[in-house]
Amino acid sequence: MGLGDVLFGRKKLKGANLDRLFALSTAQITLETELGLKPDGVAAVVFKPLSAGEFMQAERDIDELLGVAAADSGSKVRRRSDSFGFQWIVIHDSDFEDLVTTTHLVSSELQARGFGGQLLAAIFKFRGGEHPVFLIYGYKTATFWPFVPTDKEQERDNAEELKLKAELEKELPIEPDLSRWLALFDAPLDD
Amino acid sequence: MSVRMAIALALVVLIYLALALVAVAFFVASFLAVSGWWDALVTTMFWLIVALGLAAVVLQGFDGVERSALRAVGAKVLDPGEQPELEAMVARLAAEADIPCPRIALTRSWAPNAFAVGLLPPRAIVVVTTELLRRLDGADLEAVVAHELAHVVNRDGMVMTFVAGPTLLGAGLWHSDGRAKLLFFYYFPVFVVGSLLLWTMSRYREYVADRGACLLTGRPEALQSALLKIAGTTPRGDLRGGAPVSAFCIVPAQRRLRWWQFFRRFEMFMDHPPIEQRIRRLDAIARELGQAER
């Protein structure tokens, strides 16, 4: 945020930063052995395509990208959308390292096609204790945060999340500002 | 557009400098009556620094500005879970805009409107009226919320409070009594220029926030449709808690113009651009977004 942005208004969305996504593959062993977080073999890239004008072109771009990602990695890749108008590229791969790599590939392909500013988050699912645990990567902040939805609608287990934060801080760049811990309820990750 | 804005801002800064100069001259003159020239200058500088320090402390840690703005319109900050859909919408847009998730407040009103208060993004509160929620949904509501978040991103709370300073000082003088009120007549030319600058800045920030909203939602057409729906009626009731609040509303907080306010029908004297003008600009933005650099 420069002075010019303050004086004249920001004219562009902040771009995506993919650099720290790979921190997750390095941290995976610790997650599994020390915290008991087993990867569930599924992840997703959440972004918002522009609807204006070029929507058809964008659709074609994304479908082409899905083909590229699937061919390159052997992961299963498909597209979903949600009620907020966001697009989800859902990636299935039983090998966690491949899962992270494909997620990175999809993100960077989207970035290369001009969707960088529209990338919202990547989400990884883990089998935890009582509830499934999600780790969310914010592309704007280049940080991770835990998200544990409970069975009740639109409720998250803050105590569990904060506990995970304390333990994860050694392994991953965790978002320090709790007001940026975006929730992603009803993630369309399963078929 | 940016050039005009830079000139307007520079003029505001000039007004501040002139006011500071007058204040310093006044104090030096009054201290001069009891002590030497040098002492008077030093004493003035001392009090000036104390005043600036106090102002900085108040701006940093005192959220009375936000609270009084909310009180002026009878808005109540929502507890988590009261409006889950709206909360989720704000949270996603805030994540996209890369700002901390602002609080949301609701106010009962017959007028569909929204505004954002808060000097800095971490203190921002987005206020919507019950009528706005009733009349807009889905993409339209999202566009309005995104417009307000764009104000937060652009630090409009801070910038516009700064720009509104000369106008507020004039209003303060006018409403005071005794000798201070007399001062208003000397101050009047500054008051007029300050108000013109305030309105110019405000119109410009609206355009910029419209553009920011389109970047966030990707749907200029949704903002157009929201603006048309909001402008469809003349709202009753008064939503403005002083000029700085009106400057942040999605549409101007309308009140009936009195006869002596006839001049506010001209764009130069409006704090918001006319809706048709905004719609036309949004057309241009839509075309521009359509040919993004892909």
Side-chain angles (χ1 to χ4, degrees):
Chain A
M1 193 87 197
L3 186 64
D5 286 348
V6 175
L7 296 184
F8 304 117
R10 203 197 281 169
K11 303 252 164 67
K12 274 202 171 104
L13 286 179
K14 190 174 173 193
N17 181 350
L18 313 182
D19 295 348
R20 282 141 101 181
L21 200 51
F22 280 122
L24 195 55
S25 9
T26 338
Q28 192 238 331
I29 310 280
T30 328
L31 293 183
E32 193 163 347
T33 54
E34 288 183 21
L35 303 177
L37 293 178
K38 275 204 205 61
D40 207 11
V42 58
V45 174
V46 192
F47 71 105
K48 173 170 260 180
L50 291 176
S51 75
E54 251 190 28
F55 191 60
M56 293 298 287
Q57 178 61 36
E59 295 263 292
R60 272 202 298 277
D61 276 358
I62 293 164
D63 284 336
E64 183 192 295
L65 172 148
L66 293 189
V68 171
D72 264 29
S73 60
S75 312
K76 218 166 61 166
V77 187
R78 57 163 65 84
R79 188 147 67 98
R80 291 270 179 279
S81 56
D82 68 13
S83 54
F84 292 93
F86 281 77
Q87 294 280 320
W88 292 64
I89 308 277
V90 182
I91 303 150
H92 285 271
D93 202 313
S94 52
D95 184 276
F96 190 71
E97 209 158 309
D98 287 353
L99 189 67
V100 177
T101 312
T102 311
T103 307
H104 188 277
L105 173 72
V106 169
S107 320
S108 62
E109 285 288 326
L110 282 170
Q111 203 177 21
R113 285 169 163 78
F115 289 109
Q118 273 89 37
L119 281 172
L120 184 67
I123 177 169
F124 298 85
K125 190 177 182 187
F126 294 86
R127 272 168 300 190
E130 204 181 335
H131 305 290
V133 170
F134 297 91
L135 283 183
I136 299 180
Y137 178 78
Y139 288 106
K140 312 261 174 179
T141 52
T143 47
F144 289 89
W145 59 91
F147 170 56
V148 186
T150 61
D151 299 329
K152 270 193 245 156
E153 204 176 324
Q154 302 281 319
E155 254 181 48
R156 54 199 288 189
D157 188 344
N158 289 122
E160 182 68 24
E161 287 171 6
L162 290 173
K163 202 181 95 200
L164 284 169
K165 171 187 193 262
E167 288 164 339
L168 288 169
E169 255 159 357
K170 287 168 282 166
E171 305 297 328
L172 287 172
I174 294 287
E175 175 58 48
D177 182 354
L178 296 190
S179 68
R180 291 178 190 247
W181 284 25
L182 177 76
L184 290 169
F185 287 105
D186 306 319
L189 294 181
D190 313 301
D191 290 302
Chain B
M1 198 71 187
S2 286
V3 177
R4 247 191 286 168
M5 216 29 47
I7 294 172
L9 255 178
L11 287 176
V12 174
V13 171
L14 268 182
I15 291 182
Y16 271 97
L17 285 179
L19 288 178
L21 207 67
V22 169
V24 168
F26 173 78
F27 281 112
V28 169
S30 50
F31 288 133
L32 206 52
V34 287
S35 64
W37 202 86
W38 179 246
D39 278 353
L41 198 64
V42 170
T43 322
T44 306
M45 284 307 158
F46 172 74
W47 286 113
L48 202 66
I49 290 167
V50 168
L52 285 180
L54 263 177
V57 169
V58 166
L59 279 182
Q60 279 293 317
F62 178 66
D63 66 347
V65 195
E66 285 87 355
R67 269 186 287 143
S68 71
L70 288 189
R71 215 175 315 121
V73 296
K76 197 182 132 285
V77 175
L78 292 180
D79 292 324
E82 277 189 66
Q83 296 271 348
E85 270 173 49
L86 183 62
E87 284 161 27
M89 183 185 276
V90 170
R92 286 208 187 192
L93 288 170
E96 247 187 302
D98 192 33
I99 49 172
C101 185
R103 284 166 292 167
I104 310 167
L106 193 64
T107 175
R108 239 168 230 297
S109 168
W110 291 104
N113 214 335
F115 63 94
V117 295
L119 283 177
L120 292 169
R123 278 154 66 176
I125 305 169
V126 172
V127 186
V128 295
T129 67
T130 43
E131 181 65 11
L132 185 84
L133 293 186
R134 204 185 62 78
R135 206 175 296 183
L136 301 185
D137 55 6
D140 291 354
L141 183 60
E142 188 190 31
V144 172
V145 171
H147 172 97
E148 297 311 325
L149 290 190
H151 277 309
V152 177
V153 169
N154 294 334
R155 312 288 199 275
D156 279 1
M158 202 169 57
V159 175
M160 292 309 291
T161 304
F162 178 76
V163 175
T167 305
L168 291 177
L169 178 61
L173 287 177
W174 174 251
H175 287 293
S176 61
D177 37 41
R179 217 182 290 171
K181 188 150 192 157
L182 200 67
L183 271 180
F184 179 78
F185 293 96
Y186 293 105
Y187 185 73
F188 187 70
V190 185
F191 179 69
V192 171
V193 174
S195 301
L196 283 178
L197 291 174
L198 170 65
W199 294 328
T200 309
M201 278 299 275
S202 176
R203 288 195 306 271
Y204 172 77
R205 307 296 284 199
E206 288 306 315
Y207 286 131
V208 175
D210 279 353
R211 165 177 289 268
C214 296
L215 287 176
L216 284 178
T217 63
R219 294 181 197 168
E221 70 281 3
L223 187 55
Q224 289 176 326
S225 113
L227 284 175
L228 286 175
K229 281 182 192 168
I230 294 176
T233 58
T234 314
R236 280 167 293 165
D238 186 17
L239 196 72
R240 90 166 48 189
V245 173
S246 173
F248 301 137
C249 290
I250 176 94
V251 291
Q254 286 186 27
R255 43 179 188 183
R256 230 168 1 165
L257 294 179
R258 311 259 166 76
W259 63 268
W260 52 268
Q261 288 175 312
F262 67 91
F263 64 88
R264 299 212 58 169
R265 292 189 194 289
F266 298 101
E267 185 171 347
M268 190 182 171
F269 302 105
M270 293 179 182
D271 58 10
H272 277 62
I275 297 265
E276 313 85 68
Q277 195 80 21
R278 286 169 79 177
I279 303 251
R280 222 172 306 139
R281 294 248 182 151
L282 285 167
D283 282 337
I285 292 174
R287 282 194 293 276
E288 209 178 296
L289 287 180
Q291 349 162 313
E293 348 70 271
R294 295 215 191 113

mmCIF file of all heavy atoms in Angstrom, chain B residues 11-47:
data_model
loop_
_atom_site.group_PDB
_atom_site.id
_atom_site.type_symbol
_atom_site.label_atom_id
_atom_site.label_comp_id
_atom_site.label_asym_id
_atom_site.label_seq_id
_atom_site.Cartn_x
_atom_site.Cartn_y
_atom_site.Cartn_z
ATOM 1 N N LEU B 11 -4.388 21.974 -2.594
ATOM 2 C CA LEU B 11 -5.080 23.165 -2.099
ATOM 3 C C LEU B 11 -5.531 22.965 -0.650
ATOM 4 O O LEU B 11 -5.418 23.881 0.173
ATOM 5 C CB LEU B 11 -6.280 23.483 -2.988
ATOM 6 C CG LEU B 11 -5.922 24.059 -4.361
ATOM 7 C CD1 LEU B 11 -7.163 24.245 -5.212
ATOM 8 C CD2 LEU B 11 -5.198 25.392 -4.192
ATOM 9 N N VAL B 12 -6.021 21.759 -0.348
ATOM 10 C CA VAL B 12 -6.436 21.489 1.037
ATOM 11 C C VAL B 12 -5.241 21.630 1.981
ATOM 12 O O VAL B 12 -5.337 22.254 3.045
ATOM 13 C CB VAL B 12 -7.053 20.077 1.155
ATOM 14 C CG1 VAL B 12 -7.344 19.751 2.613
ATOM 15 C CG2 VAL B 12 -8.339 19.986 0.343
ATOM 16 N N VAL B 13 -4.104 21.054 1.559
ATOM 17 C CA VAL B 13 -2.901 21.154 2.391
ATOM 18 C C VAL B 13 -2.528 22.625 2.575
ATOM 19 O O VAL B 13 -2.171 23.060 3.681
ATOM 20 C CB VAL B 13 -1.738 20.361 1.756
ATOM 21 C CG1 VAL B 13 -0.444 20.637 2.497
ATOM 22 C CG2 VAL B 13 -2.048 18.877 1.769
ATOM 23 N N LEU B 14 -2.652 23.410 1.493
ATOM 24 C CA LEU B 14 -2.351 24.844 1.579
ATOM 25 C C LEU B 14 -3.255 25.532 2.603
ATOM 26 O O LEU B 14 -2.789 26.359 3.394
ATOM 27 C CB LEU B 14 -2.548 25.495 0.213
ATOM 28 C CG LEU B 14 -1.301 25.551 -0.676
ATOM 29 C CD1 LEU B 14 -1.613 26.273 -1.978
ATOM 30 C CD2 LEU B 14 -0.177 26.271 0.068
ATOM 31 N N ILE B 15 -4.550 25.164 2.590
ATOM 32 C CA ILE B 15 -5.477 25.764 3.555
ATOM 33 C C ILE B 15 -5.011 25.461 4.975
ATOM 34 O O ILE B 15 -4.961 26.334 5.836
ATOM 35 C CB ILE B 15 -6.916 25.235 3.343
ATOM 36 C CG1 ILE B 15 -7.470 25.776 2.022
ATOM 37 C CG2 ILE B 15 -7.824 25.650 4.498
ATOM 38 C CD1 ILE B 15 -8.896 25.354 1.747
ATOM 39 N N TYR B 16 -4.625 24.180 5.205
ATOM 40 C CA TYR B 16 -4.141 23.804 6.536
ATOM 41 C C TYR B 16 -2.915 24.633 6.921
ATOM 42 O O TYR B 16 -2.817 25.132 8.032
ATOM 43 C CB TYR B 16 -3.791 22.314 6.578
ATOM 44 C CG TYR B 16 -4.964 21.440 6.960
ATOM 45 C CD1 TYR B 16 -5.730 20.813 5.991
ATOM 46 C CD2 TYR B 16 -5.294 21.235 8.286
ATOM 47 C CE1 TYR B 16 -6.805 20.018 6.325
ATOM 48 C CE2 TYR B 16 -6.364 20.429 8.646
ATOM 49 C CZ TYR B 16 -7.115 19.827 7.655
ATOM 50 O OH TYR B 16 -8.175 19.034 8.010
ATOM 51 N N LEU B 17 -1.981 24.753 5.967
ATOM 52 C CA LEU B 17 -0.761 25.503 6.265
ATOM 53 C C LEU B 17 -1.095 26.945 6.610
ATOM 54 O O LEU B 17 -0.570 27.514 7.571
ATOM 55 C CB LEU B 17 0.199 25.454 5.066
ATOM 56 C CG LEU B 17 0.935 24.125 4.872
ATOM 57 C CD1 LEU B 17 1.835 24.180 3.658
ATOM 58 C CD2 LEU B 17 1.742 23.795 6.123
ATOM 59 N N ALA B 18 -2.012 27.546 5.827
ATOM 60 C CA ALA B 18 -2.391 28.935 6.070
ATOM 61 C C ALA B 18 -3.018 29.075 7.452
ATOM 62 O O ALA B 18 -2.691 30.001 8.210
ATOM 63 C CB ALA B 18 -3.358 29.409 4.992
ATOM 64 N N LEU B 19 -3.921 28.119 7.793
ATOM 65 C CA LEU B 19 -4.569 28.170 9.105
ATOM 66 C C LEU B 19 -3.531 28.054 10.210
ATOM 67 O O LEU B 19 -3.590 28.784 11.208
ATOM 68 C CB LEU B 19 -5.603 27.045 9.231
ATOM 69 C CG LEU B 19 -6.874 27.211 8.406
ATOM 70 C CD1 LEU B 19 -7.781 26.001 8.579
ATOM 71 C CD2 LEU B 19 -7.621 28.477 8.820
ATOM 72 N N ALA B 20 -2.579 27.129 10.025
ATOM 73 C CA ALA B 20 -1.540 26.944 11.041
ATOM 74 C C ALA B 20 -0.738 28.231 11.195
ATOM 75 O O ALA B 20 -0.418 28.658 12.307
ATOM 76 C CB ALA B 20 -0.622 25.785 10.655
ATOM 77 N N LEU B 21 -0.443 28.882 10.061
ATOM 78 C CA LEU B 21 0.332 30.122 10.085
ATOM 79 C C LEU B 21 -0.420 31.204 10.857
ATOM 80 O O LEU B 21 0.149 31.894 11.715
ATOM 81 C CB LEU B 21 0.598 30.582 8.645
ATOM 82 C CG LEU B 21 1.853 31.421 8.452
ATOM 83 C CD1 LEU B 21 3.076 30.561 8.721
ATOM 84 C CD2 LEU B 21 1.883 32.002 7.053
ATOM 85 N N VAL B 22 -1.706 31.315 10.567
ATOM 86 C CA VAL B 22 -2.525 32.317 11.268
ATOM 87 C C VAL B 22 -2.528 32.031 12.767
ATOM 88 O O VAL B 22 -2.349 32.940 13.592
ATOM 89 C CB VAL B 22 -3.974 32.304 10.714
ATOM 90 C CG1 VAL B 22 -4.891 33.138 11.598
ATOM 91 C CG2 VAL B 22 -3.980 32.851 9.299
ATOM 92 N N ALA B 23 -2.693 30.729 13.124
ATOM 93 C CA ALA B 23 -2.730 30.360 14.534
ATOM 94 C C ALA B 23 -1.403 30.717 15.209
ATOM 95 O O ALA B 23 -1.384 31.312 16.293
ATOM 96 C CB ALA B 23 -3.036 28.871 14.681
ATOM 97 N N VAL B 24 -0.304 30.362 14.553
ATOM 98 C CA VAL B 24 1.011 30.649 15.134
ATOM 99 C C VAL B 24 1.175 32.153 15.314
ATOM 100 O O VAL B 24 1.576 32.635 16.386
ATOM 101 C CB VAL B 24 2.132 30.067 14.244
ATOM 102 C CG1 VAL B 24 3.488 30.622 14.674
ATOM 103 C CG2 VAL B 24 2.145 28.551 14.328
ATOM 104 N N ALA B 25 0.816 32.916 14.273
ATOM 105 C CA ALA B 25 0.962 34.373 14.342
ATOM 106 C C ALA B 25 0.136 34.928 15.494
ATOM 107 O O ALA B 25 0.590 35.775 16.265
ATOM 108 C CB ALA B 25 0.518 35.005 13.024
ATOM 109 N N PHE B 26 -1.080 34.384 15.637
ATOM 110 C CA PHE B 26 -1.965 34.860 16.700
ATOM 111 C C PHE B 26 -1.352 34.628 18.083
ATOM 112 O O PHE B 26 -1.305 35.515 18.921
ATOM 113 C CB PHE B 26 -3.311 34.126 16.580
ATOM 114 C CG PHE B 26 -4.249 34.410 17.704
ATOM 115 C CD1 PHE B 26 -4.960 35.604 17.748
ATOM 116 C CD2 PHE B 26 -4.433 33.488 18.730
ATOM 117 C CE1 PHE B 26 -5.833 35.873 18.787
ATOM 118 C CE2 PHE B 26 -5.304 33.757 19.779
ATOM 119 C CZ PHE B 26 -6.002 34.946 19.811
ATOM 120 N N PHE B 27 -0.838 33.388 18.284
ATOM 121 C CA PHE B 27 -0.270 33.077 19.593
ATOM 122 C C PHE B 27 0.990 33.883 19.868
ATOM 123 O O PHE B 27 1.176 34.413 20.967
ATOM 124 C CB PHE B 27 0.022 31.577 19.709
ATOM 125 C CG PHE B 27 -1.215 30.781 20.008
ATOM 126 C CD1 PHE B 27 -1.748 29.915 19.075
ATOM 127 C CD2 PHE B 27 -1.845 30.928 21.229
ATOM 128 C CE1 PHE B 27 -2.892 29.196 19.363
ATOM 129 C CE2 PHE B 27 -2.993 30.206 21.528
ATOM 130 C CZ PHE B 27 -3.526 29.335 20.580
ATOM 131 N N VAL B 28 1.839 33.974 18.837
ATOM 132 C CA VAL B 28 3.068 34.743 19.035
ATOM 133 C C VAL B 28 2.710 36.165 19.429
ATOM 134 O O VAL B 28 3.260 36.726 20.378
ATOM 135 C CB VAL B 28 3.931 34.729 17.750
ATOM 136 C CG1 VAL B 28 5.068 35.739 17.871
ATOM 137 C CG2 VAL B 28 4.495 33.337 17.507
ATOM 138 N N ALA B 29 1.731 36.730 18.731
ATOM 139 C CA ALA B 29 1.341 38.114 19.025
ATOM 140 C C ALA B 29 0.837 38.258 20.457
ATOM 141 O O ALA B 29 1.172 39.210 21.160
ATOM 142 C CB ALA B 29 0.268 38.565 18.038
ATOM 143 N N SER B 30 0.035 37.245 20.885
ATOM 144 C CA SER B 30 -0.528 37.400 22.227
ATOM 145 C C SER B 30 0.523 37.177 23.311
ATOM 146 O O SER B 30 0.487 37.823 24.347
ATOM 147 C CB SER B 30 -1.729 36.473 22.423
ATOM 148 O OG SER B 30 -1.377 35.177 22.042
ATOM 149 N N PHE B 31 1.480 36.267 23.070
ATOM 150 C CA PHE B 31 2.553 36.079 24.062
ATOM 151 C C PHE B 31 3.498 37.269 24.066
ATOM 152 O O PHE B 31 4.109 37.587 25.081
ATOM 153 C CB PHE B 31 3.342 34.801 23.775
ATOM 154 C CG PHE B 31 2.579 33.546 24.096
ATOM 155 C CD1 PHE B 31 2.533 32.491 23.203
ATOM 156 C CD2 PHE B 31 1.895 33.424 25.302
ATOM 157 C CE1 PHE B 31 1.840 31.342 23.492
ATOM 158 C CE2 PHE B 31 1.190 32.267 25.604
ATOM 159 C CZ PHE B 31 1.150 31.223 24.696
ATOM 160 N N LEU B 32 3.625 37.897 22.900
ATOM 161 C CA LEU B 32 4.545 39.022 22.763
ATOM 162 C C LEU B 32 4.176 40.155 23.724
ATOM 163 O O LEU B 32 5.029 40.910 24.175
ATOM 164 C CB LEU B 32 4.489 39.524 21.310
ATOM 165 C CG LEU B 32 5.733 40.240 20.776
ATOM 166 C CD1 LEU B 32 6.973 39.400 21.007
ATOM 167 C CD2 LEU B 32 5.562 40.546 19.300
ATOM 168 N N ALA B 33 2.878 40.225 24.045
ATOM 169 C CA ALA B 33 2.414 41.303 24.925
ATOM 170 C C ALA B 33 3.037 41.186 26.307
ATOM 171 O O ALA B 33 3.233 42.182 26.985
ATOM 172 C CB ALA B 33 0.888 41.265 25.015
ATOM 173 N N VAL B 34 3.348 39.922 26.735
ATOM 174 C CA VAL B 34 3.864 39.764 28.098
ATOM 175 C C VAL B 34 5.348 39.440 28.140
ATOM 176 O O VAL B 34 5.962 39.533 29.184
ATOM 177 C CB VAL B 34 3.086 38.662 28.863
ATOM 178 C CG1 VAL B 34 1.697 39.166 29.233
ATOM 179 C CG2 VAL B 34 3.032 37.401 28.053
ATOM 180 N N SER B 35 5.932 38.982 27.023
ATOM 181 C CA SER B 35 7.353 38.630 27.098
ATOM 182 C C SER B 35 8.056 39.037 25.813
ATOM 183 O O SER B 35 7.452 39.620 24.909
ATOM 184 C CB SER B 35 7.501 37.127 27.333
ATOM 185 O OG SER B 35 6.985 36.444 26.210
ATOM 186 N N GLY B 36 9.320 38.659 25.734
ATOM 187 C CA GLY B 36 10.129 39.037 24.569
ATOM 188 C C GLY B 36 9.744 38.231 23.330
ATOM 189 O O GLY B 36 9.002 37.252 23.398
ATOM 190 N N TRP B 37 10.275 38.652 22.229
ATOM 191 C CA TRP B 37 9.963 38.079 20.926
ATOM 192 C C TRP B 37 10.324 36.598 20.852
ATOM 193 O O TRP B 37 9.537 35.751 20.448
ATOM 194 C CB TRP B 37 10.762 38.864 19.889
ATOM 195 C CG TRP B 37 10.172 38.769 18.519
ATOM 196 C CD1 TRP B 37 9.198 39.567 18.024
ATOM 197 C CD2 TRP B 37 10.539 37.838 17.507
ATOM 198 N NE1 TRP B 37 8.921 39.186 16.745
ATOM 199 C CE2 TRP B 37 9.728 38.123 16.405
ATOM 200 C CE3 TRP B 37 11.469 36.801 17.429
ATOM 201 C CZ2 TRP B 37 9.812 37.398 15.241
ATOM 202 C CZ3 TRP B 37 11.554 36.087 16.262
ATOM 203 C CH2 TRP B 37 10.721 36.382 15.182
ATOM 204 N N TRP B 38 11.548 36.300 21.299
ATOM 205 C CA TRP B 38 12.075 34.935 21.232
ATOM 206 C C TRP B 38 11.273 33.990 22.125
ATOM 207 O O TRP B 38 10.870 32.902 21.723
ATOM 208 C CB TRP B 38 13.553 34.950 21.631
ATOM 209 C CG TRP B 38 14.191 33.601 21.622
ATOM 210 C CD1 TRP B 38 14.662 32.920 22.688
ATOM 211 C CD2 TRP B 38 14.400 32.774 20.470
ATOM 212 N NE1 TRP B 38 15.167 31.719 22.288
ATOM 213 C CE2 TRP B 38 15.016 31.588 20.926
ATOM 214 C CE3 TRP B 38 14.133 32.915 19.113
ATOM 215 C CZ2 TRP B 38 15.363 30.559 20.082
ATOM 216 C CZ3 TRP B 38 14.477 31.880 18.262
ATOM 217 C CH2 TRP B 38 15.080 30.720 18.742
ATOM 218 N N ASP B 39 10.996 34.451 23.374
ATOM 219 C CA ASP B 39 10.204 33.660 24.310
ATOM 220 C C ASP B 39 8.840 33.321 23.730
ATOM 221 O O ASP B 39 8.350 32.196 23.853
ATOM 222 C CB ASP B 39 10.005 34.439 25.628
ATOM 223 C CG ASP B 39 11.213 34.281 26.526
ATOM 224 O OD1 ASP B 39 12.083 33.461 26.151
ATOM 225 O OD2 ASP B 39 11.294 34.965 27.563
ATOM 226 N N ALA B 40 8.227 34.309 23.108
ATOM 227 C CA ALA B 40 6.886 34.108 22.545
ATOM 228 C C ALA B 40 6.907 33.006 21.499
ATOM 229 O O ALA B 40 6.050 32.113 21.470
ATOM 230 C CB ALA B 40 6.387 35.416 21.928
ATOM 231 N N LEU B 41 7.925 33.036 20.630
ATOM 232 C CA LEU B 41 8.020 32.033 19.562
ATOM 233 C C LEU B 41 8.213 30.638 20.153
ATOM 234 O O LEU B 41 7.552 29.673 19.755
ATOM 235 C CB LEU B 41 9.187 32.397 18.631
ATOM 236 C CG LEU B 41 9.160 31.730 17.264
ATOM 237 C CD1 LEU B 41 7.941 32.187 16.477
ATOM 238 C CD2 LEU B 41 10.430 32.027 16.491
ATOM 239 N N VAL B 42 9.121 30.523 21.140
ATOM 240 C CA VAL B 42 9.410 29.226 21.756
ATOM 241 C C VAL B 42 8.165 28.677 22.456
ATOM 242 O O VAL B 42 7.807 27.500 22.297
ATOM 243 C CB VAL B 42 10.589 29.350 22.750
ATOM 244 C CG1 VAL B 42 10.730 28.074 23.558
ATOM 245 C CG2 VAL B 42 11.878 29.645 21.996
ATOM 246 N N THR B 43 7.481 29.545 23.199
ATOM 247 C CA THR B 43 6.271 29.100 23.911
ATOM 248 C C THR B 43 5.231 28.587 22.918
ATOM 249 O O THR B 43 4.615 27.535 23.118
ATOM 250 C CB THR B 43 5.658 30.261 24.718
ATOM 251 O OG1 THR B 43 6.708 31.029 25.276
ATOM 252 C CG2 THR B 43 4.740 29.745 25.798
ATOM 253 N N THR B 44 5.041 29.309 21.816
ATOM 254 C CA THR B 44 4.069 28.899 20.804
ATOM 255 C C THR B 44 4.409 27.528 20.246
ATOM 256 O O THR B 44 3.558 26.641 20.152
ATOM 257 C CB THR B 44 4.039 29.919 19.656
ATOM 258 O OG1 THR B 44 3.800 31.198 20.191
ATOM 259 C CG2 THR B 44 2.952 29.559 18.656
ATOM 260 N N MET B 45 5.697 27.359 19.893
ATOM 261 C CA MET B 45 6.132 26.085 19.307
ATOM 262 C C MET B 45 5.887 24.945 20.290
ATOM 263 O O MET B 45 5.441 23.863 19.918
ATOM 264 C CB MET B 45 7.619 26.149 18.928
ATOM 265 C CG MET B 45 7.875 26.949 17.664
ATOM 266 S SD MET B 45 6.833 26.327 16.330
ATOM 267 C CE MET B 45 6.793 27.727 15.256
ATOM 268 N N PHE B 46 6.183 25.215 21.576
ATOM 269 C CA PHE B 46 5.988 24.195 22.602
ATOM 270 C C PHE B 46 4.534 23.729 22.612
ATOM 271 O O PHE B 46 4.238 22.531 22.523
ATOM 272 C CB PHE B 46 6.383 24.768 23.973
ATOM 273 C CG PHE B 46 6.026 23.857 25.111
ATOM 274 C CD1 PHE B 46 6.758 22.701 25.347
ATOM 275 C CD2 PHE B 46 4.940 24.147 25.940
ATOM 276 C CE1 PHE B 46 6.421 21.861 26.389
ATOM 277 C CE2 PHE B 46 4.601 23.304 26.976
ATOM 278 C CZ PHE B 46 5.336 22.162 27.210
ATOM 279 N N TRP B 47 3.604 24.680 22.663
ATOM 280 C CA TRP B 47 2.190 24.308 22.736
ATOM 281 C C TRP B 47 1.716 23.655 21.450
ATOM 282 O O TRP B 47 0.871 22.773 21.466
ATOM 283 C CB TRP B 47 1.326 25.523 23.072
ATOM 284 C CG TRP B 47 1.473 25.895 24.513
ATOM 285 C CD1 TRP B 47 2.035 27.022 25.011
ATOM 286 C CD2 TRP B 47 1.080 25.095 25.636
ATOM 287 N NE1 TRP B 47 2.033 26.997 26.388
ATOM 288 C CE2 TRP B 47 1.451 25.812 26.799
ATOM 289 C CE3 TRP B 47 0.470 23.851 25.780
ATOM 290 C CZ2 TRP B 47 1.221 25.333 28.081
ATOM 291 C CZ3 TRP B 47 0.236 23.377 27.055
ATOM 292 C CH2 TRP B 47 0.605 24.107 28.188
#
